[in-house]
Amino acid sequence: MGQTYGYIRVSTREQREDRQRDALLARGVAERHIYIDRQSGKDFARPQYQVLVRRMKKDDLLLVKSIDRLGRNYGEILEEWRRLTKEKGVDIAVLDMPILDTRRGRDLMGTFLADIVLQILSFVAENERLAIHQRQAEGIAAARRRGVAFGRPPQPLPDNFPAVYACWKAGDLTGRAAAALCAMPLSTFRYRAKNYEKNRK
């Protein structure tokens, strides 16, 4: 028998890992063999996960509370799952989904069932991701129609802007000189001047 490791992932520093840790400890994982990343699961470029993968050897066991703790990109999860199990010879068990346990059914049927479950999860997750993006796009579009402004509010114009703008518009000042008098880059001055002009109409 190899060593048993646990992996925990939380998306932000504010989220707590207690439930995942308790579940792993209950399965006999030693505290020193639990690795935690506090970042997005969009890919596997996570420092503690990479340390864990380097440490694991053939016949070791990796436990995770749920499949989404391993990652969010299910295409990459499929690839990583096969890399760990086929290339490194590591077993993986997902506590919340007992069918995803490579120790069970090492025969063709067990592998086949696990592959089907992973493929279904991949399909569902991809559809969910696309639906979230669509809902976000629709929400932003609806908010814009209601007049909601996005991004940082613009800084107030300096007190001398109207006078400087008038001189610049009359040709008495170059753009660079006008921008310098307003203490802003030339591109910002031109952008603010354009908006100032539009709002005066």
Side-chain angles (χ1 to χ4, degrees), residues 56 80 96 139 190:
M56 286 190 298
E80 189 69 6
D96 287 354
R190 286 178 173 155

Side-chain angles (χ1 to χ4, degrees), residues 10-168:
V10 289
S11 297
T12 66
R13 294 193 175 278
E14 287 72 37
Q15 288 183 332
R16 297 186 63 81
E17 69 271 4
D18 298 0
R19 284 192 316 113
Q20 294 178 66
R21 186 192 297 277
D22 290 347
L24 294 173
L25 292 173
R27 293 300 183 99
V29 184
E31 183 77 45
R32 69 182 184 280
H33 289 153
I34 294 176
Y35 292 77
I36 304 172
D37 278 310
R38 293 177 176 84
Q39 66 184 83
S40 163
K42 64 183 176 67
D43 57 38
F44 285 94
R46 298 172 233 140
Q48 286 301 299
Y49 180 79
Q50 292 301 323
V51 171
L52 168 62
V53 170
R54 285 195 297 273
R55 181 152 295 176
M56 286 190 298
K57 296 179 177 60
K58 189 177 186 302
D59 296 326
D60 283 346
L61 171 64
L62 172 61
L63 296 180
V64 291
K65 176 80 165 63
S66 58
I67 192 71
D68 64 344
R69 297 305 88 198
L70 197 56
R72 286 288 188 184
N73 183 323
Y74 279 73
E76 289 195 7
I77 287 176
L78 286 168
E79 193 176 314
E80 189 69 6
W81 186 282
R82 292 191 177 111
R83 183 171 79 93
L84 292 176
T85 58
K86 302 291 193 290
E87 294 177 22
K88 288 189 72 82
V90 171
D91 277 313
I92 307 174
V94 179
L95 302 184
D96 287 354
M97 195 171 289
I99 196 170
L100 291 179
D101 186 338
T102 58
R103 296 169 301 175
R104 296 169 183 247
R106 288 179 180 269
D107 58 3
L108 186 61
M109 181 57 73
T111 303
F112 176 68
L113 287 174
D115 278 352
I116 285 177
V117 171
L118 282 169
Q119 293 285 355
I120 290 171
L121 287 171
S122 176
F123 173 77
V124 170
E126 184 65 15
N127 277 337
E128 182 185 357
R129 187 182 68 80
L130 292 173
I132 288 170
H133 283 307
Q134 184 176 348
R135 286 196 296 270
Q136 285 174 339
E138 289 171 353
I140 290 169
R144 282 191 172 137
R145 284 194 297 273
R146 293 195 307 273
V148 176
F150 290 90
R152 290 182 301 175
Q155 293 291 320
L157 291 170
D159 293 338
N160 66 342
F161 190 88
V164 172
Y165 168 83
C167 290
W168 170 73

